[in-house]
Amino acid sequence: MTKQQMMNDLAKLIDKNNIFMDELLKNHTYTKLGGKADFFVTPTKVEEVQKIVQYAKKEKLPFTLLGNGSNVIVRDGGIRGIVLNLKQFDGIRTEGTKLIAQSGARIIDASRYALEKCLTGLEFACGIPGTVGGALYMNAGAYGGEVKDCLESAIVVDEDGNVQKVLAEDLDLSYRKSNIAEKNYIVLEACFQLEDGEFDQIKATMDDLTYKRESKQPLEYPSCGSVFKRPPGYFAGKLIQDSHLQGKGIGGAEVSTKHAGFIVNKSNATATDYIGVIEMVQKEVKSRFDVDLEREVRILGED
């Protein structure tokens, strides 16, 4: 199937103004890395998401879900087929002590909305840059809290294009992991069960966590955030620091001198540079401490 045929087909499913051919994905990732997507689509309705999923399955087309690109690296060759982005699904509302957020909303904004409504339970997310959908995908967490602590349920589209409600306990949420990828779910909406709290107390907690984040993390450079999961009994950043890797890199990518758990795009790095630094760090830490560092960040696309 030619790209023009795909464009014609997709234009029958969603507004053509929300279909982008050969879209440069470096414009949609926090690392500022990544080649082109054959098609980058941003539907506005649930029915459109269902139709796109069904179309991709019927035509056996490669299909990738991309949030706001905060915890992914897209390779320099880009991504074939359809890249689905739900940035236009960004609504947030409350029903009593429940906070319902669409998957394209930033989890930071959900946390701030909870503050406005004097609801406690999402303070930990005030510095996590990903979307709500991405936060569920990896059971995002920080400073002692994680999504599984307060998630009640999610509305998803399954691999056949059906919409269903899934309870939190059925998502197999564990450290930086869920079964969302395994089940081929596309999260549309999440429901968090929070509790009534005091505005000043919630804000003080969020201000403290924001200060810790801004003072310790290299936010002045593009990065994918924390690169590695915490190895049992260790801290990834400490192992990398003790391996004397800070400031070392490949091309324009290097291990942050501010926080060893981060790799930054310091000067027009390529995805190949960035991935090369990840592999260098893994090899050195294994050599020095016999510890395997497992990536937290996902790598997508082709070289």
Side-chain angles (χ1 to χ4, degrees), residues 40-86:
F40 184 83
V41 298
T42 60
T44 60
K45 303 172 185 174
V46 173
E47 295 79 10
E48 292 176 342
V49 177
Q50 292 176 280
K51 289 176 182 177
I52 292 166
V53 170
Q54 291 164 346
Y55 170 69
K57 184 173 183 179
K58 177 186 174 185
E59 299 297 334
K60 296 182 172 58
L61 296 170
F63 182 86
T64 304
L65 181 65
L66 182 68
N68 68 352
S70 63
N71 198 242
V72 299
I73 299 166
V74 176
R75 295 183 189 271
D76 300 313
I79 301 178
R80 303 289 68 79
I82 299 171
V83 174
L84 178 72
N85 179 277
L86 297 181

Side-chain angles (χ1 to χ4, degrees), residues 223-235:
S223 82
C224 63
S226 182
V227 177
F228 303 103
K229 296 181 180 180
R230 185 178 66 245
Y234 298 91
F235 290 98

